[in-house]
Every structure is written in C-alpha cells, then in structure tokens.
Amino acid sequence: SRKKLPAIIPIALTRVVLLAIFFALNGCSLFNSNNINSRDFTVLVTSSDPQIHVAQQQWQVQQGADSYALEVVVERGADYWRWIMLNNLGQRLATVEAVDGQVRIERLHSHPANQLLPALIQAWQLGYWSLIDLRAANPHWDFSDGGGRREARFSGILRASIGYQSTTANPWQGSLSYTSGELRLLIHSQPLN
C-alpha cells in the first residue's frame, strides 16, 4: 500500500495540471464569462429592429489617463448580436456574442479592454439600440433623445451622454461619442452590408 501511494501522487498531480491547462486554453473566459452586469444595466440579447446590421468600427477608448484604439467588427440581428474586438496590431482580443438568450465572452489576449467589457457593451447598446428596446430592458432607466444627442439616466441620475455625428439618420454610418463616469468612447462606424 505504501509503495502505491508515491505512484498515485504524480498521476493525480499530472491530472490537476492538465485540467488547469485545459481550462486556461479552452476559453480564457471560463471565470466571470457571463458576469457582464454594469451598474444596473441589463445587457440586451435581442432587438426589435428586424434589419441585420454589420459594421466595421474604430473605437478610441479613454479611461482616466489610459487611451487606446480598438477595431471592432459588429453584427446585430433581431435575435442575436456578436462582435470581434481587435487591438491596433490586428490581434483578436475577444469575441462577444449573444445567442439563444445567453451572452458568451471569449477573451483571447490580455488587454485593458477585456476588463472594460461590461462598460463597452453598455456603451455600444446605449448608442445603437432603439429607445423602445432600452426602455423595456429596465424601468429604472430613462432616456431622452433629440438634436443628435441621447442621454441615459438611471433612477434620475445621468449615467451616460451620447452625441451622434452622422451625415445620415443611420447611426451605423458615422461617428458617435459616448461619455460616462467610467469612460469616454469615440466610435466611427462603417456599414459592411
């Protein structure tokens, strides 16, 4: 019995190490993969807009003194959305998608943007979803829209301000600026469909 014990320990240790490597490689997003709540914001997984929007977007993110550029390819249909986030070298940082009522995040490379995913998803949805969808998601949110601006308030407190700079009425073509207490985001969007 004592002779078998030393042989079992390396096998068990090997299995633990292999499991850890598997989880680390299998989806860098195993931990907190669906923890994307951001300050009472309900992440939307559907849209009342039946049109499919596909766009290539350049994002300039500023949080405090940190600033960086991202390339994000986005697609949104009525019952799904997804985006692929790339750094300025073209490396895929993350893939985020909402399918079958679930939001899935796959983080591929370490980058400050991966820590900001809840806020970035919130900013993207506050800027590109219809007011009907946003208001239906959570009754504590209130929105005003007009004159190329949108304001988002939670329980009466201003949480975000969005300014649209577009030559058309289509926010998917043109630029928007998003400002909240957490970050500042400039998005330039070019439709691909």
Side-chain angles (χ1 to χ4, degrees), residues 99-114:
V99 179
D100 298 328
Q102 296 274 333
V103 177
R104 297 184 188 113
I105 299 172
E106 181 183 15
R107 293 174 178 93
L108 299 162
H109 290 285
S110 178
H111 191 276
N114 281 332

PDB file of all heavy atoms in Angstrom, residues 99-114:
ATOM      1  N   VAL A  99     -26.455  34.791 -28.146  1.00  0.00           N
ATOM      2  CA  VAL A  99     -27.182  33.827 -28.958  1.00  0.00           C
ATOM      3  C   VAL A  99     -28.031  32.988 -28.013  1.00  0.00           C
ATOM      4  O   VAL A  99     -27.577  32.611 -26.927  1.00  0.00           O
ATOM      5  CB  VAL A  99     -26.210  32.913 -29.749  1.00  0.00           C
ATOM      6  CG1 VAL A  99     -26.963  31.897 -30.573  1.00  0.00           C
ATOM      7  CG2 VAL A  99     -25.299  33.733 -30.637  1.00  0.00           C
ATOM      8  N   ASP A 100     -29.263  32.698 -28.422  1.00  0.00           N
ATOM      9  CA  ASP A 100     -30.170  31.881 -27.609  1.00  0.00           C
ATOM     10  C   ASP A 100     -30.359  32.447 -26.205  1.00  0.00           C
ATOM     11  O   ASP A 100     -30.435  31.719 -25.223  1.00  0.00           O
ATOM     12  CB  ASP A 100     -29.668  30.435 -27.517  1.00  0.00           C
ATOM     13  CG  ASP A 100     -29.598  29.759 -28.875  1.00  0.00           C
ATOM     14  OD1 ASP A 100     -30.443  30.091 -29.741  1.00  0.00           O
ATOM     15  OD2 ASP A 100     -28.704  28.919 -29.071  1.00  0.00           O
ATOM     16  N   GLY A 101     -30.408  33.764 -26.094  1.00  0.00           N
ATOM     17  CA  GLY A 101     -30.665  34.412 -24.810  1.00  0.00           C
ATOM     18  C   GLY A 101     -29.490  34.410 -23.852  1.00  0.00           C
ATOM     19  O   GLY A 101     -29.627  34.825 -22.709  1.00  0.00           O
ATOM     20  N   GLN A 102     -28.329  33.982 -24.285  1.00  0.00           N
ATOM     21  CA  GLN A 102     -27.135  33.936 -23.441  1.00  0.00           C
ATOM     22  C   GLN A 102     -26.049  34.814 -24.053  1.00  0.00           C
ATOM     23  O   GLN A 102     -25.878  34.850 -25.263  1.00  0.00           O
ATOM     24  CB  GLN A 102     -26.599  32.501 -23.356  1.00  0.00           C
ATOM     25  CG  GLN A 102     -27.524  31.527 -22.695  1.00  0.00           C
ATOM     26  CD  GLN A 102     -27.352  31.542 -21.187  1.00  0.00           C
ATOM     27  OE1 GLN A 102     -26.283  31.860 -20.687  1.00  0.00           O
ATOM     28  NE2 GLN A 102     -28.399  31.215 -20.470  1.00  0.00           N
ATOM     29  N   VAL A 103     -25.291  35.472 -23.187  1.00  0.00           N
ATOM     30  CA  VAL A 103     -24.135  36.237 -23.646  1.00  0.00           C
ATOM     31  C   VAL A 103     -22.896  35.404 -23.352  1.00  0.00           C
ATOM     32  O   VAL A 103     -22.707  34.929 -22.240  1.00  0.00           O
ATOM     33  CB  VAL A 103     -24.050  37.605 -22.954  1.00  0.00           C
ATOM     34  CG1 VAL A 103     -22.789  38.351 -23.384  1.00  0.00           C
ATOM     35  CG2 VAL A 103     -25.285  38.433 -23.255  1.00  0.00           C
ATOM     36  N   ARG A 104     -22.077  35.224 -24.373  1.00  0.00           N
ATOM     37  CA  ARG A 104     -20.845  34.448 -24.230  1.00  0.00           C
ATOM     38  C   ARG A 104     -19.663  35.341 -24.560  1.00  0.00           C
ATOM     39  O   ARG A 104     -19.691  36.075 -25.549  1.00  0.00           O
ATOM     40  CB  ARG A 104     -20.867  33.242 -25.172  1.00  0.00           C
ATOM     41  CG  ARG A 104     -21.971  32.274 -24.847  1.00  0.00           C
ATOM     42  CD  ARG A 104     -21.888  31.048 -25.754  1.00  0.00           C
ATOM     43  NE  ARG A 104     -23.072  30.239 -25.538  1.00  0.00           N
ATOM     44  CZ  ARG A 104     -24.022  30.050 -26.440  1.00  0.00           C
ATOM     45  NH1 ARG A 104     -23.924  30.600 -27.625  1.00  0.00           N
ATOM     46  NH2 ARG A 104     -25.066  29.306 -26.172  1.00  0.00           N
ATOM     47  N   ILE A 105     -18.637  35.226 -23.747  1.00  0.00           N
ATOM     48  CA  ILE A 105     -17.427  36.017 -23.936  1.00  0.00           C
ATOM     49  C   ILE A 105     -16.238  35.071 -24.039  1.00  0.00           C
ATOM     50  O   ILE A 105     -16.072  34.191 -23.203  1.00  0.00           O
ATOM     51  CB  ILE A 105     -17.203  36.988 -22.760  1.00  0.00           C
ATOM     52  CG1 ILE A 105     -18.361  37.964 -22.637  1.00  0.00           C
ATOM     53  CG2 ILE A 105     -15.886  37.734 -22.928  1.00  0.00           C
ATOM     54  CD1 ILE A 105     -18.300  38.823 -21.404  1.00  0.00           C
ATOM     55  N   GLU A 106     -15.441  35.271 -25.060  1.00  0.00           N
ATOM     56  CA  GLU A 106     -14.190  34.536 -25.185  1.00  0.00           C
ATOM     57  C   GLU A 106     -13.069  35.571 -25.212  1.00  0.00           C
ATOM     58  O   GLU A 106     -12.950  36.355 -26.151  1.00  0.00           O
ATOM     59  CB  GLU A 106     -14.185  33.715 -26.481  1.00  0.00           C
ATOM     60  CG  GLU A 106     -12.920  32.908 -26.659  1.00  0.00           C
ATOM     61  CD  GLU A 106     -12.891  32.160 -27.985  1.00  0.00           C
ATOM     62  OE1 GLU A 106     -13.694  32.477 -28.881  1.00  0.00           O
ATOM     63  OE2 GLU A 106     -12.044  31.266 -28.114  1.00  0.00           O
ATOM     64  N   ARG A 107     -12.266  35.589 -24.157  1.00  0.00           N
ATOM     65  CA  ARG A 107     -11.127  36.505 -24.078  1.00  0.00           C
ATOM     66  C   ARG A 107      -9.895  35.756 -24.564  1.00  0.00           C
ATOM     67  O   ARG A 107      -9.584  34.687 -24.056  1.00  0.00           O
ATOM     68  CB  ARG A 107     -10.937  36.967 -22.640  1.00  0.00           C
ATOM     69  CG  ARG A 107     -12.051  37.834 -22.118  1.00  0.00           C
ATOM     70  CD  ARG A 107     -11.847  38.137 -20.630  1.00  0.00           C
ATOM     71  NE  ARG A 107     -12.864  38.991 -20.105  1.00  0.00           N
ATOM     72  CZ  ARG A 107     -13.979  38.580 -19.510  1.00  0.00           C
ATOM     73  NH1 ARG A 107     -14.219  37.295 -19.386  1.00  0.00           N
ATOM     74  NH2 ARG A 107     -14.860  39.439 -19.053  1.00  0.00           N
ATOM     75  N   LEU A 108      -9.175  36.347 -25.527  1.00  0.00           N
ATOM     76  CA  LEU A 108      -8.063  35.633 -26.148  1.00  0.00           C
ATOM     77  C   LEU A 108      -6.697  36.191 -25.792  1.00  0.00           C
ATOM     78  O   LEU A 108      -5.731  35.454 -25.740  1.00  0.00           O
ATOM     79  CB  LEU A 108      -8.253  35.637 -27.668  1.00  0.00           C
ATOM     80  CG  LEU A 108      -9.543  34.932 -28.093  1.00  0.00           C
ATOM     81  CD1 LEU A 108      -9.920  35.308 -29.493  1.00  0.00           C
ATOM     82  CD2 LEU A 108      -9.379  33.439 -27.955  1.00  0.00           C
ATOM     83  N   HIS A 109      -6.592  37.488 -25.590  1.00  0.00           N
ATOM     84  CA  HIS A 109      -5.322  38.107 -25.226  1.00  0.00           C
ATOM     85  C   HIS A 109      -5.564  39.092 -24.093  1.00  0.00           C
ATOM     86  O   HIS A 109      -6.622  39.697 -23.989  1.00  0.00           O
ATOM     87  CB  HIS A 109      -4.710  38.858 -26.416  1.00  0.00           C
ATOM     88  CG  HIS A 109      -4.212  37.964 -27.505  1.00  0.00           C
ATOM     89  ND1 HIS A 109      -3.054  37.248 -27.405  1.00  0.00           N
ATOM     90  CD2 HIS A 109      -4.725  37.668 -28.719  1.00  0.00           C
ATOM     91  CE1 HIS A 109      -2.865  36.546 -28.511  1.00  0.00           C
ATOM     92  NE2 HIS A 109      -3.883  36.776 -29.322  1.00  0.00           N
ATOM     93  N   SER A 110      -4.563  39.268 -23.279  1.00  0.00           N
ATOM     94  CA  SER A 110      -4.655  40.229 -22.189  1.00  0.00           C
ATOM     95  C   SER A 110      -4.634  41.646 -22.764  1.00  0.00           C
ATOM     96  O   SER A 110      -3.799  41.974 -23.611  1.00  0.00           O
ATOM     97  CB  SER A 110      -3.480  40.020 -21.238  1.00  0.00           C
ATOM     98  OG  SER A 110      -3.528  40.959 -20.204  1.00  0.00           O
ATOM     99  N   HIS A 111      -5.585  42.450 -22.322  1.00  0.00           N
ATOM    100  CA  HIS A 111      -5.677  43.839 -22.788  1.00  0.00           C
ATOM    101  C   HIS A 111      -6.601  44.575 -21.820  1.00  0.00           C
ATOM    102  O   HIS A 111      -7.556  43.986 -21.308  1.00  0.00           O
ATOM    103  CB  HIS A 111      -6.250  43.877 -24.205  1.00  0.00           C
ATOM    104  CG  HIS A 111      -6.132  45.210 -24.855  1.00  0.00           C
ATOM    105  ND1 HIS A 111      -7.055  46.217 -24.663  1.00  0.00           N
ATOM    106  CD2 HIS A 111      -5.196  45.708 -25.705  1.00  0.00           C
ATOM    107  CE1 HIS A 111      -6.696  47.279 -25.365  1.00  0.00           C
ATOM    108  NE2 HIS A 111      -5.578  46.999 -26.001  1.00  0.00           N
ATOM    109  N   PRO A 112      -6.359  45.859 -21.565  1.00  0.00           N
ATOM    110  CA  PRO A 112      -7.249  46.620 -20.664  1.00  0.00           C
ATOM    111  C   PRO A 112      -8.717  46.596 -21.106  1.00  0.00           C
ATOM    112  O   PRO A 112      -9.615  46.661 -20.278  1.00  0.00           O
ATOM    113  CB  PRO A 112      -6.694  48.045 -20.707  1.00  0.00           C
ATOM    114  CG  PRO A 112      -5.285  47.910 -21.167  1.00  0.00           C
ATOM    115  CD  PRO A 112      -5.224  46.674 -22.010  1.00  0.00           C
ATOM    116  N   ALA A 113      -8.978  46.480 -22.395  1.00  0.00           N
ATOM    117  CA  ALA A 113     -10.359  46.462 -22.891  1.00  0.00           C
ATOM    118  C   ALA A 113     -11.131  45.263 -22.362  1.00  0.00           C
ATOM    119  O   ALA A 113     -12.342  45.336 -22.174  1.00  0.00           O
ATOM    120  CB  ALA A 113     -10.381  46.463 -24.416  1.00  0.00           C
ATOM    121  N   ASN A 114     -10.449  44.155 -22.122  1.00  0.00           N
ATOM    122  CA  ASN A 114     -11.138  42.977 -21.593  1.00  0.00           C
ATOM    123  C   ASN A 114     -11.697  43.225 -20.198  1.00  0.00           C
ATOM    124  O   ASN A 114     -12.707  42.646 -19.827  1.00  0.00           O
ATOM    125  CB  ASN A 114     -10.208  41.757 -21.589  1.00  0.00           C
ATOM    126  CG  ASN A 114     -10.090  41.134 -22.954  1.00  0.00           C
ATOM    127  OD1 ASN A 114     -10.994  41.223 -23.769  1.00  0.00           O
ATOM    128  ND2 ASN A 114      -8.963  40.508 -23.214  1.00  0.00           N
TER     129      ASN A 114
END
